[in-house]
Amino acid sequence: MPHNYKKMPPLWYLEELFELSDDYDSGLSWATKQSRYKKGDAVGTKNKSNGYYFVSIDNSSYMVHRIVYYLRTKESPDSFCIKHNFSNKKKDNRLELKPTYMSYG
């Protein structure tokens, strides 16, 4: 059964907030100063129970790997799941992310 993900913010808005980064496992850094974060700081908080990174944008929580995929490909992931490779147990968003129309859990 597919997940029901919330609609992503517009790409232009995400590009203003974030930059792709090879420095952090989340795969993102802040593009500008944000409240308690400096430009270049890592984006996302890792959920200890499932290993995924999350970030709050305008009081809504988003999965960081979906944002990374969107910034890399310019293709909105609104209509499909984004999966980490099965060998990527740490959910490192700097590695390959794949779109899929089916959820595998």
Side-chain angles (χ1 to χ4, degrees):
M1 174 188 290
H3 292 277
N4 186 16
Y5 294 107
K6 69 178 77 153
K7 186 169 174 53
M8 296 293 289
L11 181 59
W12 66 266
Y13 187 53
L14 295 176
E15 289 174 329
E16 284 185 3
L17 293 174
F18 309 117
E19 294 176 340
L20 294 172
S21 173
D22 288 331
D23 295 333
Y24 309 109
D25 290 351
S26 71
L28 285 182
S29 63
W30 290 101
T32 59
K33 182 182 178 337
Q34 297 291 320
S35 59
R36 62 180 185 241
Y37 300 104
K38 298 181 304 209
K39 177 181 173 24
D41 280 352
V43 170
T45 302
K46 191 170 190 173
N47 181 304
K48 292 179 184 173
S49 65
N50 63 21
Y52 289 103
Y53 287 90
F54 290 85
V55 65
S56 179
I57 303 171
D58 299 331
N59 296 318
S60 288
S61 183
Y62 294 89
M63 298 175 92
V64 172
H65 68 281
R66 296 176 62 74
I67 296 170
V68 169
Y69 178 85
Y70 198 5
L71 291 174
R72 277 188 196 153
T73 66
K74 312 296 187 218
E75 179 181 13
S76 174
D78 285 343
S79 61
F80 47 84
C81 295
I82 302 299
K83 296 288 185 181
H84 294 88
N85 190 314
F86 289 110
S87 64
N88 185 2
K89 303 295 184 208
K90 291 185 177 182
K91 308 257 191 300
D92 186 333
N93 294 332
R94 297 171 293 183
L95 304 177
E96 184 179 13
L97 298 170
K98 297 180 180 185
T100 180
Y101 291 92
M102 296 185 72
S103 173
Y104 297 107

